[in-house]
Amino acid sequence: MEASAPANPNPPAAAGASARTRSERKLAWMLCAPAVLAMLAVTAYPIGYAIVLSLQQVDLRFPDEGGFVGLDNYVSVLSSQLWWTDFFNTVFILVTTVAIELVLGMAIALVMHRAIFGRGVVRTSVLIPYGIITVVAAFAWQFAFAPESGFVNNLPLISDEMDWFGGRFSSFAVIIMAEVWKTTPFMALLLLAGLVTIDSGLYEAAKVDGASAWQRFTRITLPLMKPAILVALLFRSLDAFRVFDTIFIMTRGAQDTESVSILGFNQLISRLNLGLGSAVSVLIFLCVFLIAFLFVRGFGARLEEGRPGG
Amino acid sequence: MTTCRATRALACLAAVAGAVTALAACGGSSEGSGPRELTFFVAIQPGGTIEEVSKRCSKESGGRYEITPEFLPTDATQQREQLVRRLGAEDPSIDIVGMDVIWTGEFANAGWVEEWKGPLKQQVTEQVFPNVIETASFEGGLYAAPFNTNTQLLWYRKDLVKQPPQTWDEMIEAAEKLKEAGTIQVQASRYEGFMVWANALIESAGTEILSGPEAVDLEQAPTEKALAVIGRLANSSAAPPSLSTSDEDTARLGFEGGESAFMTNYTFAYASAQTEAPDIGKEMGFARFPEVVAGTPSKPPLGGFNLAVSAFSEHKDVAFDAAACLAGKESQLTAVELDGLPPSRSDLYTDKVVTEAYPGFAPLVKESIEESGPRPTTPAYQDVSLAVQRSLHPPDKIDAEDTESIYDELKSNLEDAVKREGLL
């Protein structure tokens, strides 16, 4: 890829490309080939296979049945109320967790950036939740909120009999809290990376001009960090849309807290209905693809705005 | 032969009695020398039953086979998920499968487990409750050897309740009137245990969920009566605060903690209360699972494990013998002794081991099993169970006064489920 970059500024010259350029390009392709083949084997093949399965009636429990059914599986999924309920649950979790994480992550990034004492210790300790396996963290929080064994109900202002996983919104609250606790450090780290690239001279100049701390944050920090913020939002949104572990451990989808990934799991692993399950998986893939596409387009456009003096 | 000598010289030396046996030994299996290795995939039992019976049967085989248990989680849904992933992929490393009573239709239909025939079939069904044999059968064939069975009783506090209630309505009223411990413990989290409860209520009301593998029965009037019981309990003060997330263990803990005067639960609850909460344990009374319709005998839940031989096993002949031993009379007594699991053979209920494990209530356990209402047998069981769980959970959404809409929802979801259509 990089080898072809120098040739691009003068497209007309490409027609008369020298033998050297051509052989370099060939070498580039050959060097890329193993990676491309590996990617095809581990991503393109499974995705392609899932698409093929989603167009068939396949149920592992009924090995003799089967056959091509066209888009029937997609029709069953998209006409099912369950898919839409789960889709909105997922979007709700995505929007709330990513929004909370952005605010908290930004605050933590600023603290990590400014930390004078024990910078290394601060940065490492902030990252600990992200290093804990999601399933383990989900169990820990589930036990913490369980009415019989948890400490949460012993806290002041909380009823001892509160059954957190017995209602829809209290379940969502715990799930979102656990997700936020777990992935805020990741957000903070990405934002910190954006923060350190800002020239401290800009702040000094602004101070001289009499800008308040808030003005410096909104006029300098935020605009210059836009690319970093968008990257962080993109990564977290892609992750959050596929939320599975926390919900699976805490409610297994009960109280209408099911996400689309749990729905796919139920069709594929519980019912062994590979056709329907693959259709759900392909739809999740398309949603993730769409999120990435929208972000990348937005990102490409705003990258220019974010440039100093742009 | 050369590679064989180079890599596995010792194993080969032992086996080289002739060229033929030597070649077999190089193939990687242990045929021809030493006991056959059999792998037994089964749910873990905390008392150590599985280890004990595997060891005994291996020893009794006189060197024919050696059983290695592989433990599955305690949760039935997770056990099945692990098993079906392996069986669906035709994994030859499973020889004997500890099959929950509800998986028979699915496993047999998919061709994952072998049918039992001839004298061994005779042997493993001898004296076994007909209800239990039914759970190991599919389309007239027997696919597993019944091992332990299980049923639920009504447990109550003798110090708070003089006479155990006959019906669910009576029990809810009695609990509401109590000043302390006025709740009823059941299993109503969204999992298989909720299906167990719902099925027992529907059966007790006088109808059944399915009349055949693909036929929904669910007669309207009795079904609505059963649903009303769920709704009434869930919306009354007799419901524990965490009803919609309760399972066998939270129920036991609630009862042992003195929060509830009533509980429907499996037989393990008795032994547990005796050791965990002796004060409550000594006041623990027992009665048959309550009725839904006064005067119509209840149909208590039926659980348990049957042992099947995997269709992908490389040692099916010995695996059948091993499964028969693992499920045999002696093993069943070990299961009662170590884990309190009720035997599937009806003749064992007068045995001292059983009467000691179930002091005073061995005959009640026997009666409960004989008159139980098993969950439906169908290859699409998972779909059926998911449909019931989805339609009726959380239980407090059921309005006891108006059960028609929830009945319609349940019925239409079940009709999709048996046809394996739609999302669940």
Side-chain angles (χ1 to χ4, degrees), chain B residues 200-397:
Chain B
L201 292 176
I202 291 170
E203 290 265 344
S204 298
T207 183
E208 50 187 356
I209 294 178
L210 303 186
S211 55
E214 283 184 40
V216 180
D217 186 345
L218 219 61
E219 214 184 305
Q220 184 157 1
T223 307
E224 285 196 33
K225 272 187 198 132
L227 299 182
V229 167
I230 300 179
R232 186 166 308 139
L233 173 60
N235 291 299
S236 83
S237 65
S242 50
L243 179 80
S244 68
T245 52
S246 58
D247 57 24
E248 289 88 354
D249 215 45
T250 60
R252 166 187 78 85
L253 287 169
F255 190 85
E256 288 172 3
E259 290 160 32
S260 307
F262 302 100
M263 162 172 74
T264 53
N265 211 334
Y266 293 102
T267 49
F268 83 99
Y270 184 82
S272 170
Q274 303 310 313
T275 52
E276 303 293 324
D279 289 349
I280 304 275
K282 72 177 193 303
E283 296 295 345
M284 203 166 171
F286 40 79
R288 182 165 162 158
F289 192 82
E291 293 163 358
V292 170
V293 184
T296 309
S298 67
K299 293 198 163 182
L302 184 69
F305 280 98
N306 303 317
L307 307 185
V309 171
S310 161
F312 313 110
S313 161
E314 285 162 351
H315 315 290
K316 282 180 207 160
D317 47 344
V318 268
F320 271 111
D321 290 342
C325 172
L326 288 169
K329 201 169 172 175
E330 256 187 87
S331 303
Q332 294 191 16
L333 289 174
T334 310
V336 193
E337 202 179 342
L338 299 182
D339 283 295
L341 299 169
S344 57
R345 283 178 67 123
S346 57
D347 60 334
L348 297 180
Y349 283 77
T350 46
D351 194 294
K352 220 178 132 219
V353 181
V354 178
T355 51
E356 264 172 23
Y358 307 145
F361 59 93
L364 179 62
V365 173
K366 188 178 175 207
E367 176 197 306
S368 261
I369 293 162
E370 278 166 346
E371 297 179 31
S372 62
R375 283 162 282 169
T377 306
T378 164
Y381 180 82
Q382 198 60 26
D383 299 31
V384 168
S385 175
L386 275 174
V388 171
Q389 295 174 39
R390 269 204 195 288
S391 314
L392 305 182
H393 199 273
D396 60 5
K397 79 172 177 189

Side-chain angles (χ1 to χ4, degrees), chain A residues 59 61-63 65 80 82 161 163 165-166 252-255 258 263 265-267 269-273 276, chain B residues 77 80-81 84 106 109-110 112 190 241-242 244-245 379-380 382-383 386 390 393-394 420-424:
Chain A
D59 191 324
R61 299 168 297 179
F62 294 81
E65 290 180 7
S80 154
L82 199 56
E161 301 222 311
D163 181 21
F165 301 108
R252 221 183 154 116
Q255 329 292 1
E258 204 165 83
L263 186 68
F265 175 90
N266 276 345
Q267 316 312 315
I269 309 292
S270 283
R271 298 176 74 193
L272 301 177
N273 195 329
L276 268 180
Chain B
T77 310
R80 177 181 162 277
E81 278 160 11
V84 295
E106 176 180 11
N109 180 71
W112 294 337
R190 201 180 81 173
S242 50
S244 68
T245 52
Q382 198 60 26
D383 299 31
L386 275 174
R390 269 204 195 288
H393 199 273
R420 293 171 286 122
E421 280 171 0
L423 290 182
L424 283 168

Side-chain angles (χ1 to χ4, degrees), chain A residues 191-254:
Chain A
L191 295 177
L192 180 66
L195 211 52
V196 295
T197 60
I198 301 176
D199 182 3
S200 59
L202 289 170
Y203 290 108
E204 275 157 32
K207 253 189 208 165
V208 171
D209 289 345
S212 68
W214 179 248
Q215 281 174 323
R216 272 176 274 146
F217 178 70
T218 52
R219 300 286 173 86
I220 301 175
T221 314
L222 281 187
L224 291 180
M225 277 184 69
K226 236 175 211 171
I229 292 173
L230 281 165
V231 167
L233 287 182
L234 170 65
F235 282 179
R236 272 302 301 142
S237 303
L238 293 184
D239 243 14
F241 192 78
R242 294 173 293 130
V243 58
F244 179 82
D245 316 41
T246 309
I247 302 177
F248 189 77
I249 300 298
M250 289 184 170
T251 63
R252 221 183 154 116

